[in-house]
Structure formats: structure tokens, C-alpha cells
Amino acid sequence: MENDEIKDPGDDVVLITKDGMSIRFHEANVRSMGRAAGGVRGINLEKGDALVAAAIVVKDAALLVAGENGIGKRTNFEEYRIQSRGGKGIITMKTGDKTGGVIGALTVRDADEIMLITVGGQMVRIPVGGIREAGRNTMGVKLVNLDAGDKLQAIAQVINEEGADAVPAGEPTK
């Protein structure tokens, strides 16, 4: 099968930073390299910023972003335009005193559930469908009530036991 093979078009990737910036680009824009290579720039970070998450764009899914003060939101991937790899990106969540820095992001669907984990050891399981969809350039809504001085540390998708047929977040549907 010479040229008759159907080539995988690849996926789009979204990189998310602590200061609420993100960039979406096609994975084909990242060339293959050896294990010892330094890699290529995905997003140009401002001083003090850091990469906190990478998500794969999936059809009929949204990007869930959470801040360290328990604020989060879901945004449809259509609101993230494709850009050239290595740019400054666009705002994915307004960060500040109310939200804190972004601690993580996941590719989610309405039927999914997520686990919120705090620095103080509190774990809260919530359905994604209960989180309001909001625009890219907004703060979001309260995901969890935190004790004084506590911060959200991580978010993770809950995988059900009967989820053998389910597509894990971040994996493309074929």
C-alpha cells in the first residue's frame, strides 16, 4: 500500500500556564527528535510563569481549568484558535486574588467526574456536568469550598470501573 495508506492527521494540543495563558497548535508542528534532544518551544512563557498542563483537543469535549483558590470553568475547544507553536498564547482563565494561579487542566465531557485534591488533604469528587461552561476570558465558578489557608493542589479525572468503553480524557476518538 504505497500512497493508498490513510495517514493519521494527528491531534491539536493545548498547553496551559499557571498565569492563565494557553496556546493551541497541531501536533504535526512538533518535529520528531531523539530522546537526548532538547525539544522545541511550545509556548513562550513570561517571567515567573510555568507550564501546568497539556491537553489533547477531542471532539465533543471541553477544556476544564482550575485555579488554586477553588475556582474553575469549562470552555469549549472551539474558543481556542489554532496558533503557531512557540507564541505567547491567549488568555484561558483570568487569574488574580480570587482565582489564584491555574493548577491544572483536563479534557472533559459532560458525563465525566473529576477529583479535586487540596494541599490540606481534602478530596472532593464532582460531576463535570454541574460546572458551568464559560467563555475563555473569564474567571469561572467555585468548584470547592476551601478551609482558611488551604489551596487546591491538583485535579484528576475519575475513571469508572465499567469505563472500558469510555474514552479517557485526552485520548482522541477514532
Side-chain angles (χ1 to χ4, degrees):
M1 293 175 102
E2 293 173 14
N3 292 334
D4 293 341
E5 283 186 38
I6 298 174
K7 297 203 185 257
D8 179 9
D11 297 310
D12 285 350
V13 178
V14 179
L15 302 178
I16 301 97
T17 74
K18 180 183 72 158
D19 288 345
M21 299 300 286
S22 67
I23 193 164
R24 176 180 175 173
F25 57 88
H26 197 66
E27 73 172 305
N29 293 342
V30 179
R31 63 187 174 274
S32 294
M33 297 181 187
R35 194 175 42 138
V40 295
R41 182 181 305 270
I43 187 167
N44 192 0
L45 298 170
E46 293 289 326
K47 185 174 181 154
D49 202 0
L51 186 69
V52 295
I56 302 292
V57 176
V58 177
K59 184 179 179 184
D60 300 327
L63 182 68
L64 180 121
V65 180
E68 63 187 350
N69 292 338
I71 304 294
K73 65 177 181 162
R74 285 187 304 155
T75 305
N76 194 308
F77 279 117
E78 292 174 5
E79 291 200 33
Y80 295 88
R81 70 180 186 272
I82 296 176
Q83 298 178 278
S84 298
R85 177 188 53 74
K88 294 234 183 251
I90 56 177
I91 295 173
T92 195
M93 182 178 189
K94 284 192 175 183
T95 58
D97 292 339
K98 183 179 177 186
T99 62
V102 174
I103 56 94
L106 300 169
T107 299
V108 294
R109 293 190 174 102
D110 286 347
D112 292 339
E113 290 183 318
I114 60 168
M115 187 69 74
L116 305 168
I117 303 137
T118 70
V119 173
Q122 182 182 6
M123 295 180 73
V124 179
R125 182 176 180 163
I126 62 171
V128 169
I131 302 169
R132 181 174 57 104
E133 281 202 25
R136 189 180 48 72
N137 192 12
T138 60
M139 275 193 234
V141 296
K142 184 177 279 196
L143 299 176
V144 61
N145 290 320
L146 298 171
D147 295 335
D150 203 3
K151 299 275 185 200
L152 196 58
Q153 173 177 285
I155 59 173
Q157 185 174 17
V158 175
I159 307 294
N160 358 353
E161 290 179 23
E162 70 267 355
D165 295 337
V167 176
E171 291 200 14
T173 55
K174 300 277 179 175

